[in-house]
Amino acid sequence: MSFAAGSASRRLFGERFALQAEPPALRRHSHLVRYPDVEADFDTLIEKAIAAIADGEPVEDEILGHYVNVASLVRAVSFREGKLLEQAVERLAKVNPDLVVLMQSIKLPLVKAAIEAVAGNDWRQLEGVRLDCEAPAKGCYTPDLIIVNRAKRAAFVLDLKRSLASYGDTSRLEELKLKMLASAMIVPDWLYKTQKRMMVETVGVAIIDGASRPSDHAAGVWALSEIDDLLEIDGAATCMAELRLRFGRRVQQLLEVEARRALGIPETPTVMSAPVLAAAASTTSLHGRRFGTLRTKPRAMVWVDATNDTGDHGPGCRCGSSEDLRFDDDDDGRDDPEALTDDTVSWPPEHIRIGFARRLLDA
């Protein structure tokens, strides 16, 4: 791509994702986010995830042989992508000041009475049932995120999966739903006792499918493309899709390096080894991090000098295309959860509704 073509492409990118002031009638939610608003933070999250994947130490395997590095990368990607999605949702939630995100060291007790209630009844019959979080329990459930909407006094227990394809014909998904519903029955009491009197009256559980396959809200499964409604932020799903696209490009670069090494294919000048790629990640410019150092598809090598001894590399040359791009990080922040302690509250609330997350909680 020539310098002029690259500049035109970047202008189109900016026009596409620039913050637009849509008329209120065309927007579903009062809060809005566009990718340039979070690009700097998302780039940092991607770099950290890629560095963690590349730094893995594979263990020798007689079956995998010299392909063990490729298998190790694939396993690391599955873990790191889930963490990346969690961190990205936490960053996007800052756009809505009504939201509080809990994601560190969350352990919800699986109260015996709650497990028996969920296993022996239809969950729709459990509305209004609230259990003590300090009652006898059988283990704990650790959700990926708990998002509390203080304005609506609603909480969501979220479990983010990079893909639900592996859950298709197994009982693992039903077991996960049972744990989530059982833990949701003690969430109101748990929040009140452990989060400084934070009160909720509605608790919904949702399994987020990162691959955005068809959702089933009645069964508690949401596509990542529908996250706008959970966060009440327009544009959140578009930002998550762009994040996964950029992360996928970087992952494919690492896999190409290891695949070439495993097959004994010499590296082309445009291909860098995994250690070099990881070391350069912290020193390259924003432009280099965004577009990477590898090609998605290898370029055909031609043994003809394109310069014709003139030094002119033609319109396809990328020499000199190093424009430095910068985006400002717009962090709206959020209200202090401790401010709730100043409100006059009554405990317990008159009615608690627990179940699978419904669109905007039927608001």
Side-chain angles (χ1 to χ4, degrees):
M1 180 185 295
S2 65
F3 180 83
S7 300
S9 176
R10 284 187 289 272
R11 286 197 300 272
L12 290 175
F13 177 89
E15 293 172 359
R16 178 183 176 186
F17 293 99
L19 181 62
Q20 301 291 335
E22 292 93 341
L26 300 181
R27 290 172 51 184
R28 293 178 298 171
H29 308 295
S30 58
H31 303 286
L32 177 68
V33 65
R34 290 291 181 259
Y35 196 80
D37 302 334
V38 296
E39 182 173 21
D41 290 338
F42 277 15
D43 281 346
T44 300
L45 295 178
I46 292 174
E47 293 297 340
K48 291 181 178 179
I50 292 297
I53 293 172
D55 288 342
E57 293 291 339
V59 180
E60 293 185 5
D61 189 291
E62 295 180 357
I63 303 299
L64 297 175
H66 55 274
Y67 294 101
V68 66
N69 288 342
V70 178
S72 176
L73 283 179
V74 173
R75 287 191 293 266
V77 167
S78 299
F79 174 76
R80 292 295 171 182
E81 182 182 353
K83 295 298 181 182
L84 178 65
L85 294 179
E86 296 172 22
Q87 295 167 348
V89 171
E90 191 270 342
R91 170 61 185 90
L92 289 173
K94 294 181 180 180
V95 178
N96 186 346
D98 293 330
L99 300 183
V100 176
V101 179
L102 308 176
M103 61 181 300
Q104 298 293 336
S105 302
I106 303 174
K107 289 186 178 181
L108 301 177
L110 294 174
V111 174
K112 294 180 181 180
I115 296 176
E116 295 173 356
V118 173
N121 299 276
D122 187 288
W123 66 268
R124 297 177 183 83
Q125 300 173 352
L126 302 177
E127 290 193 5
V129 178
R130 178 184 62 84
L131 298 179
D132 187 353
C133 67
E134 298 177 351
K138 299 173 61 176
C140 297
Y141 164 67
T142 302
D144 293 329
L145 298 170
I146 295 181
I147 297 180
V148 179
N149 189 321
R150 294 176 299 181
K152 293 186 175 181
R153 293 195 175 183
F156 296 100
V157 180
L158 303 185
D159 203 300
L160 280 78
K161 303 296 183 184
R162 64 180 302 270
S163 175
L164 288 180
S166 61
Y167 289 77
D169 299 326
T170 67
S171 60
R172 295 166 55 204
L173 188 60
E174 294 303 321
E175 293 175 358
L176 175 61
K177 293 177 184 178
L178 185 146
K179 290 182 179 180
M180 295 180 72
L181 286 172
S183 63
M185 296 181 69
I186 60 94
V187 163
D189 189 59
W190 183 84
L191 289 173
Y192 186 82
K193 291 179 178 178
T194 66
Q195 302 298 317
K196 300 179 180 180
R197 299 169 60 204
M198 183 179 294
M199 291 186 59
V200 297
E201 299 176 356
T202 303
V203 182
V205 303
I207 302 172
I208 309 298
D209 183 6
S212 291
R213 290 179 174 84
S215 60
D216 184 2
H217 295 178
V221 178
W222 286 62
L224 187 63
S225 58
E226 299 173 314
I227 202 171
D228 288 18
D229 290 331
L230 287 177
L231 301 180
E232 298 190 8
I233 302 173
D234 285 339
T238 302
C239 293
M240 295 296 291
E242 180 67 16
L243 171 78
R244 294 187 75 242
L245 178 63
R246 298 189 180 200
F247 178 68
R249 289 172 181 168
R250 297 296 303 276
V251 167
Q252 292 168 30
Q253 292 171 6
L254 290 178
L255 290 175
E256 181 180 352
V257 169
E258 292 300 335
R260 285 178 174 272
R261 183 177 300 168
L263 295 172
I265 300 177
E267 296 181 355
T268 61
T270 57
V271 177
M272 299 172 61
S273 64
V276 174
L277 185 63
S282 60
T283 58
T284 53
S285 64
L286 178 60
H287 180 274
R289 293 199 307 269
R290 288 178 56 203
F291 295 98
T293 56
L294 301 175
R295 302 180 185 278
T296 304
K297 297 182 179 179
R299 172 184 290 183
M301 302 303 294
V302 181
W303 296 102
V304 178
D305 186 4
T307 63
N308 296 324
D309 298 328
T310 63
D312 183 7
H313 290 257
C317 179
R318 301 181 62 177
C319 297
S321 178
S322 59
E323 182 178 345
D324 186 16
L325 301 179
R326 293 182 175 86
F327 295 93
D328 294 331
D329 179 31
D330 184 12
D331 186 354
D332 293 334
R334 69 180 70 167
D335 293 338
D336 185 359
E338 297 184 3
L340 290 176
T341 59
D342 299 331
D343 299 335
T344 301
V345 298
S346 60
W347 183 257
E350 297 180 357
H351 178 71
I352 292 291
R353 190 177 75 184
I354 294 173
F356 290 124
R358 287 170 258 190
R359 186 175 297 276
L360 293 179
L361 293 172
D362 297 335

